[in-house]
Each structure stands twice: as C-alpha cells, then as structure tokens.
Amino acid sequence: MLKRFLVWLMILTLSVGMVSFANAEETTTIRVLWWGSQNRHDLTTKAVELFEQKYPNINVEIEFTAWDGYWSKLSTQVAGNLVPDVIQMDYQYIAQYAQSNVLADLTPYFESGAIDISNVADTVLSSGKVGEGIYGMPIGTTARVMMYRPDVLEQANLTMPVNPTWDEFMSISKQVYEATGRTNIVPSDIDDLRFILRDYGLNLYSDDGKSLGFDDPKHLVYLWERQMTAVNEGWQLPVGETTALSMYDGFISDDWAECTHWSSELAAFQTGSGTRLELAMYPHSSDATAAATYFKPSMFWSVSNASANKDAAATFVNFFINDPDCYDIVGIDRGMPVSSAIREHIAPTLDETSQRVAAMHDYLGQEGMTSAIMNTDIPAHGEVNRLFADYSEQVSYGMVKDLTAHAQAFIEEANAIIAEKSKN
Amino acid sequence: MRSIRQTLEKESVAGYMFILPIIIGLIVFTAIPFFTSLYLAFTEYDMLTAPKWVGVDNFVKMFTKDKLFWKSFWVTFKFAIIQVPIKLLVSLGVALVLSRNSKAIPVYRATFYIPSLMGGSVAVALMWKQLFAYNGPINNIFSVLGIAPVRWLNDVSTALGVLIGLGIWQFGSSMLIFLAALKNVPASYHEAAIVDGASPVRRFFAIVLPMITPVFFFNLVNQTISAFQAFNSSYLITSGKPLNSTLYYGVHLYNRAFTFSEMGYGSAMAWFMLLVIAFFTALIFKSSNAWVYYESEVK
Amino acid sequence: MTAISARKPRSMKRARQISSCIYHVLVVLFGFGMLYPLLWMIAASFKPNTEIFTSVSSLIPKTFTFENYITGWRGFSGLSFAVFFKNSFVISVIGTIGSVFAAAVVAFGFARLRFRGRNVWFTLMILTMMLPSQVMMIPQFVLYNKMGWVGTILPLTVPHFFGGGFNIFMVMQFIRGIPRDMDEAAVIDGCNWYMIFLRIILPLIIPSLVTVAVLTFIGSWGDFMGALLYLNKPQLYTVAYALKLFSDASYTDFGATFAMSVLSLIPILILFFFFQRQLVEGISTQGLKG
C-alpha cells in the first residue's frame, strides 16, 4: 500500500517537475514600451500583471516614459538595435517607423486570428495601414473636437450647435466677447489647415506623399483671414496678451472655447481647468463638400520587426484589444476601445465625463458626420509643420501685407522641402 | 622591484599615472562616439535606417539653404556675448558679498544658490513665464510706475533678454567656484595689506583679484562653452518664439536632429559649433597669458 | 596717535553696525528674489490642481491640501518615490566619488608635472567638451549597448571615474594657484610625486574638491537624459526621471510634479548646507603658506 502510494507520489512529482521544467523552457520574455502619465503607468502595470497570470509562459518587462522624451528614447533604442517587442506608437510617427522596417506587418496575425479583429471596424483598422501592410493595431479612437464652457455661454444667453459652421462659431464668439469679455481663439496650426482642406475633400499631402495635397493659396488665406478678423473684432487676444501659462489654463484665464483638443482629453482638461466643459464638433465651412472630422487612433500597439518573440507580442496585443478583464482594469485610458464588444462591456462602468465622450463618439459615428482618416504623415511633416508655424507667426505679427503671396510662398517652400526629403 | 619604483617616480611616468583616468575615459568612453558623430556629419541619417554617405552636402545645406542656421547662430552669439560677462560679474560680486563672516552666511548662500539648484525644471519655466506674463508681476510693477505693459516673451526686442535674465539669475555654480577661490586667498596677505593701510577696494584689486584670476579664467571658459551650448531655457519657455528670435543654435540643432530626424545634419551643425567654440576658447587661452596670474609659476 | 585710536573704536563700531545692518537688509531683499521660485513651487505643491492656475501668483494656497504629496509619493506601477530616491542617491553618490577622484588626480598630473604629450591630452580633453551633447547621445548609447551596460546604472556612474573635463580643469586652476615652494621642500625631504600629491596638494585643494562634489552631485541628481536612455527597468528609475512621469502629451499633474520636486530639493539642500561649511570662513586663515 505504502509502496504503491510512494510510486504514485514519485510519478506525480516527476510529472509536475517535468511540466514546470517544460514551462521554464518555453517561457519567453517580451519588452513593452509606452508613454503616458501616472494613471496609465499604474493601470497598464496592473493589466500586465493580469496578462502574466493568464499567460504564465510569457514574461513581460515594462518600460514607460512621459510623452516628452519618448521618441528620443525609442529612436535611440532603434539605433542601438535594442527595440522593445511591443511599442506604443503614434499616428504621427507610424509611417516613418514602418517604412524604415522597424515595425512588423500585423496582417498575418489578423489572418491567423492571433489578434482577433472581428469586432473592430475596417475604417479604424485601416488607420494603421502604411503601404500594403498594417503596422499598428489601433488601441483607442479619438476625434478633434471643440471644448467649451457652458457656464460662459449661459451668461451670454447663447447656445452652441453640436455641429457649428465657422460663421456660427465666429458670430457666437463675438457675442460672447461683447457680453462677457471672454475671448476665444481661431485655431490655426497645421491640423486646422488640414480641417479646412478636408472640408473640400482635399488632404494636406498628396497621395504619393511627394508634394502638398493642394496648390490653391485660398485655403491658407481663409485660415489667416479668419484669425485676423477675430483679433480685429477684439475677441481673440493679440499675440502675447494671453495670460495662459500652460495648455489648459486658457479656460481659466481668458478663453471660453478651444478647438485644438481631442475628445479623449476631456477629463484631463476638466481636471486641469477645474471647470465643466462640453463638447461640440470642430466647426466646418458652410460650403463644405465633405465631412472634415475623422476618427483618429489615439495610439497603436506595434510589434518590432526584429522581435524574436512576435507570437508572444501578438498575444499581448490581442489581450489589450479583446480581453474584457483587461478593460475592467484600464478602462478608456487609451481612448474609446476599438472593439465594439469591449465598448459594450465597459459602457456601464463609465463615469459621467466618459459617457459624454462616448455620446459624442456615437454622434460622430452617424452616417456622413465623419470621413476616413487621411494617409499617415510623410517623413517631411515635422519640417513642414515648423515652416507653417513660422509663416503663421509672421501673419499674426502683422508682418504680411499680401496674404495670397505669402500663402504661395509657403506652398512653394513646403513643396521644395518635401521633394528634397522624398528624393530617396 | 627597485627599478619599477624608480620608473614610477620619474616625472614623465608619474605624469601619465596621474592622468591615466582621463586617458582611459577619452579612449574607452569618448573617442568612439566623438568620431562617430564626425562621420555622421557627412551622412544622411534618420536614426531608423543605416546612415548614407553624402559628402559635404550637410555643410553646403547649412551655409547656403538653411535660413534658420545663421539666424540661430546669431541668436546664440548674442546670447553668449551678453550673458557671459554679466553672469561672471554678478557671481563674483555675490561671492565677495557672501564671503564675510556671519552666522547668517550659510542661509544666504543656500538662498542665492537655489535658482541654480532648481535648474531647468518645469517649475522654473512656468514661474519665469508667469513673472513676465502680460498681467504678471513685472508688468504690475510697471503699471504702478505708469509704464505701459510689455509683451515680454512675445516681443522680438525683449524675449531674448528675458531668457538671458533667467540665465544670469542662475549664477549659483560660478558663485560657488568663486567662493572656493576666495577661500584660498591666504589671510596673511590681507593682514599685511591692512597693516599697510590699504583700503578694501585697493586690497581687492591688488591682492584678491590677481589671486583668483586662474579661477576667473576657468569660469570664463566654462561659461562661454555652456552659453554656446545653451538649450533649456529656449526649449522649455519659448521654443524659439517669437519669430525665431530666441531660437538657440542648440534648439535648432535638436529640432533638426530629433524632430525632423536629420541626425546627420544635426551632427554637422554640432561639429561646426565645436569649431566656433574652439576658436573662442583658443582666444581666451591665448589672452590668458596676459592677465592670468599663477602663483606656482612665479619665480 | 593714542588720542585718535581712543576715539576711533566707538565711531567705527557704530559705522560697522550700520553697514552690517544695511548689508543684511540688502542681502535679504535680493534673497527673496532668489527664493521666489522655491516659495512659488512650495505654495503650488499645497494647492489643489485646479487652484495652481486660478491663483497663479498667490504664494498662499486658498485651499491647503496634502493630496499632491500623497498622489505623488505613490509613484508609478507600485513603486513609490522611496525607490526613486534610493536610486538617485546611489547613482549620485557613486558618480560624485568618481568625479572627485578623477578631478583631484588628473588635475594634479596636468597642473604640476611636466611630461611629453601633456598639452595634447589636455587639449583633447577640452575639445571633447565642446561638442554639443545631443549628437553624442546615439553613438554613446550604441557603445554602452555593445558593452552590455544598457539597463544598468553603469553608464551613469562609471564614466565619472574617468572623465569630467570641467572639474579637472577647475581643480587644475586651483593647483596652479598654489606656490611651488612646499613641493620643492618636500622633494628635498625625499618625497616623490605621489607623496607630494597626498601630503601637500590634496589638503590644500579640499575647497575646490568640495565644489566639485556639490556640482557633480547636483548634476547627477538632476540628470534626466541619462536616466531616460539607460535605465529601462522601472525599479531603477531616478527622481529626475520620475518627476517627468506625471506628464502625458495632453495632461500634466502639476500638483504632484511640484510636490515631488519640493521633496527632491531637500537632499541637495541638506548636502549644500553640509558642504558649504568648507567654504564658510571666507577669507582663509589656514592653508597655503603662512
């Protein structure tokens, strides 16, 4: 009896030992890198712990930074051949990294089902497309919107339509200023130029990425003229008279509405400014022929092309897209989840602010409210962006007499930069 | 055994023994990155793919095409020429004031050092912005005095000045070095001069100043090099605005290298800056024969 | 003569008192200007996040809260700031020891000994300091990566033992200000170069080494770039690095950032207080030749 028991015991220990031995042998380690702030670092770490529990044979090493410094760190790691297996990626950089062969095409993992995309809309998925492959799995979506202070509008006895035209936006701004003294800003960075172009079905860059996507200076002239009107009418502060010190105290110091933010940032701006903010769509031209607003992936998970553990990396990505338990932890920290099943799953848990963001996304989700996102930015974008800022600054300093000629000069100079950079 | 010892005691061998750490440092840690960056200056390198040799293209582009290259060069030059002398005089002045004997001195010194302790932090950037904001404290003082408010950080004629002011205000480290130098002036010299009836001002110029010239020389070189390499204040506070009037060379270099992914071009810019700094440093070294007094070299 | 000296002390004493009074008033006034950012940051660290910008120039919080310190100290992914402080401390202490060692030894070699190649090595050392550091970042990373040092504190500490051109140059200037009489006397007594360094020069350059120590420690303590590039594991993150982790592209928890910034200043302030005593007598009564 005892003997038999001992034999069984031996077999048992041996097999347990072998299982654990096998496990030890199969354990793979993947490195994951992301940017974010305290909340994201905490939540993601917890989600990673859950992942390791669910997949005991995959060990995850985490690294995180702030946004500031992230790209220096990543490009340095690429230069040193020390690329993390899973990389949080931004729309602005994905093309450059994909074209440089740093990222792996995820299509095979979609086909094998390793990354389940059955609940992800094609339009969303295709935002990670560069050339023929998909190099980034969108994690969440966001949209450029207007944030405004309802209390100021109320004071002036005005309301903001959900989908305002520029004329409405300008006239409301003027009336608010007259009634309350609160100012507003005509948004005028390169993304706003994008919106103006998209009103007419145009893009900032041509499809082949070898030039700007437009040659008519009138679009730029519109943008700058609107800005000058606002300053002349008094409801936009001239350069240097704003008292805002950081991104979101504009709502406290001078402004009552801002069109330069993303829907996913609502909670941050409410906390930062300590006021309740409401959302409206980004204004559009009254003669617009297309919907300018688009859903943008707030960020992607990309997999390193040099990774030795791509399968494990894909498992991780899938976990972060489709696992309800994961979303019980992370919520909408990285934007509205891309999987419709997950969106349903977390809907009841959303707080009031997140619910309003979700409602806005539902509104935008209706037919005709948005159009597809433009191609990923070309490598010369950083330089073109900088050039545009310089040209706009000259306008706001009143240094430009002939806006059309100024716009023409920008178009020529930008095209020259793009041509130079896309030579090779 | 004996011969090893004798060898080690020879001046030339001992010299190398003492400077061995820096030789190792230069060969192991510095040489490869230093010359790699020189190589990169002749390439096109986006950091994601291998560098491509382009000969002197980067330098040609720098001197002929890039408008902001010369712009940022002159901004930096102006910055250095104004900031370095003022900062040196201020730090020496404060060091002199804080080198007397008093119970409160440690607290004072710490106080005057705090701006430098806080360095290039977000808090300093925000605070400085707030100080010079349109409705900030400085303009408030102006309005009391009946002077119209100034758009400090948004006016081409004042923005660089505000940043230079920030740099001068962080004079702590050169003050600290001057303090150490002042401590090394032997008291006996002072006593002798006091017996001779020399006034404090005369004592300063006749005794203290000559004795601290070596350290003054060091601070001058140090501050000149770091002024030409300035980066933080522009990057954190103005990002080159308005109209690129505060675009330091270092910031332009950083934008080019990292934001525009042109590390090859950035390296070329860096090597040009090295030549400029080397030129000015060489001038300072040459001139030092005329005004720096070394006690050890007096016979 | 006696008449004059009998009257002089009293009027001189009063004059000295008045001048001392003016001195302290002026220093305190200027001191406030110097202290303003710190006071501002301390005040902000006790304000709720929403108040930091609504009452931006006020040095007294309307609502006094410790919340920022609590959220801040919590740190990231289960690692509190205690860990980051410990890491910063280890790195800064090792780096400081390295810098002081290298500065003392190498400066003595350059400043006191005559040997072939001295000027060449000195020039090389100065020259390498002139290259803007941004372009050294990547090649340096590649090098340390090949050495297998990335992800450890080695790249942030070991090079201090073999470098620090500015420190070396500074200490050199101090040594060159020391007359050679004592060396020569020591040589007659049978001292070799190593003994001269240890017995004569080293005690005399303590003030400059203290300065090197303070400057290096503070530099190391505040080094963000090095930590960003080389410390991959969160368990190794330093305070300077962790302070930035409160900011995302669109959101910065300024309250927590300021609270932890205030705490991060405490160790270096204590260090400064402790070491500046070495420079406190002002006009020296010791050292050099009497």
Side-chain angles (χ1 to χ4, degrees), chain A residues 277-400:
Chain A
L277 300 172
E278 300 238 350
L279 300 178
M281 275 181 76
Y282 190 94
H284 61 275
S285 311
S286 40
D287 61 342
T289 56
T293 299
Y294 55 91
F295 282 115
K296 188 194 103 144
S298 48
M299 55 200 75
F300 301 97
W301 284 126
S302 289
V303 172
S304 158
N305 203 17
S307 168
N309 301 308
K310 288 198 186 105
D311 289 335
T315 310
F316 181 84
V317 173
N318 186 51
F319 169 80
F320 242 94
I321 301 300
N322 291 309
D323 195 314
D325 297 336
C326 171
Y327 277 89
D328 284 342
I329 297 171
V330 299
I332 60 160
D333 168 66
R334 283 183 170 82
M336 275 299 151
V338 291
S339 152
S340 52
I342 294 291
R343 278 202 302 274
E344 266 165 47
H345 174 77
I346 61 165
T349 65
L350 293 182
D351 62 12
E352 194 264 346
T353 305
S354 307
Q355 276 178 23
R356 285 192 288 128
V357 176
M360 188 68 198
H361 279 227
D362 286 344
Y363 179 81
L364 294 175
Q366 298 170 85
E367 188 64 36
M369 300 312 281
T370 57
S371 55
I373 194 168
M374 57 280 169
N375 289 342
T376 43
D377 283 331
I378 58 174
H381 178 70
E383 211 175 337
V384 173
N385 184 8
R386 172 82 208 194
L387 185 76
F388 181 72
D390 281 356
Y391 269 79
S392 293
E393 210 187 5
Q394 289 163 14
V395 174
S396 57
Y397 274 84
M399 296 163 66
V400 181

Side-chain angles (χ1 to χ4, degrees), chain A residues 89-112:
Chain A
M89 193 35 74
D90 182 72
Y91 194 68
Q92 193 187 330
Y93 293 91
I94 191 169
Q96 205 181 341
Y97 276 85
Q99 282 157 3
S100 308
N101 256 332
V102 178
L103 308 179
D105 182 5
L106 298 178
T107 322
Y109 300 98
F110 297 149
E111 282 162 3
S112 73

Side-chain angles (χ1 to χ4, degrees), chain B residues 5 8-19 21-30 32-34 36-37 40 45 47 97-102 104-118 122-124 126-127 130-131 137 169 171 173 175-177 179-190 211 214-215 217-218 221-222 225 229 231 250 253-254 258 263 266-267 270-271 273-274 277-278 281 285 292 294-297 299, chain C residues 19-20 23-24 27-28 30-38 40-41 53 56-57 101-102 105-106 108-110 112-118 121-122 124-140 143-144 147 149 158-159 161-166 168-170 173-180 184 192-194 197 204 207-208 211 214-215 218 225 254 257-258 265 268-269 272-273 276 278-286 288-290:
Chain B
R5 215 183 132 166
L8 280 175
E9 281 174 12
K10 266 173 68 183
E11 188 166 358
S12 58
V13 178
Y16 272 93
M17 288 306 289
F18 277 107
I19 68 162
I22 195 72
I23 295 181
I24 294 174
L26 285 171
I27 293 173
V28 177
F29 298 118
T30 314
I32 298 172
F34 190 69
T36 308
S37 80
L40 290 176
Y45 180 40
M47 295 175 283
V97 168
L98 297 185
S99 64
R100 63 155 74 185
N101 253 327
S102 157
I105 283 293
V107 180
Y108 291 163
R109 284 181 176 175
T111 305
F112 280 74
Y113 196 65
I114 276 173
S116 311
L117 273 187
M118 296 179 68
V122 197
V124 168
L126 265 176
M127 190 277 310
Q130 179 247 329
L131 214 52
W169 177 74
F171 58 75
S173 59
M175 173 191 82
L176 202 62
I177 297 166
L179 277 173
L182 289 172
K183 187 192 153 78
N184 269 3
V185 178
S188 55
Y189 287 23
H190 276 276
M211 292 211 58
V215 170
F217 170 53
F218 164 76
V221 172
N222 184 8
I225 295 180
Q229 295 180 347
F231 177 78
L253 190 161
Y254 180 86
F258 288 96
M263 185 48 83
S267 302
W271 274 82
M273 185 40 86
L274 178 134
I277 296 177
T281 311
F285 266 87
V292 179
Y294 292 114
E295 189 86 341
S296 63
E297 279 151 33
K299 280 282 155 180
Chain C
S19 89
S20 160
Y23 170 85
H24 286 282
V27 171
V28 167
F30 274 101
F32 181 75
M34 296 285 127
L35 219 48
Y36 182 77
L38 182 67
W40 187 84
M41 194 166 81
F53 291 104
V56 75
S57 50
F101 160 78
V105 171
V106 178
F108 177 74
F110 275 135
R112 268 298 198 256
L113 282 79
R114 293 199 187 87
F115 52 92
R116 262 186 145 188
R118 183 179 71 160
W121 286 108
F122 178 74
L124 279 177
M125 179 183 88
I126 297 286
L127 207 63
T128 53
M129 298 177 337
M130 297 176 186
L131 191 70
S133 58
Q134 293 104 325
V135 300
M136 293 273 278
M137 263 168 53
I138 288 186
Q140 231 154 22
L143 176 71
Y144 288 129
M147 296 166 79
W149 285 13
V158 176
F161 288 83
F162 304 97
F166 280 118
I168 292 169
F169 182 29
M170 185 180 99
Q173 294 304 89
F174 278 91
I175 296 177
R176 292 169 85 181
I178 300 171
R180 282 176 183 266
E184 279 152 16
N192 62 33
W193 287 108
Y194 306 94
F197 170 69
L204 290 178
S208 62
T211 310
V214 171
L215 294 179
I218 290 166
M225 228 23 185
F254 283 107
T257 310
F258 292 156
L265 284 178
I268 42 180
L269 263 178
F272 182 86
F273 256 89
Q276 68 89 43
Q278 294 290 326
L279 318 171
V280 86
E281 290 97 335
I283 308 304
S284 156
T285 47
Q286 79 216 29
L288 300 186
K289 53 178 186 180

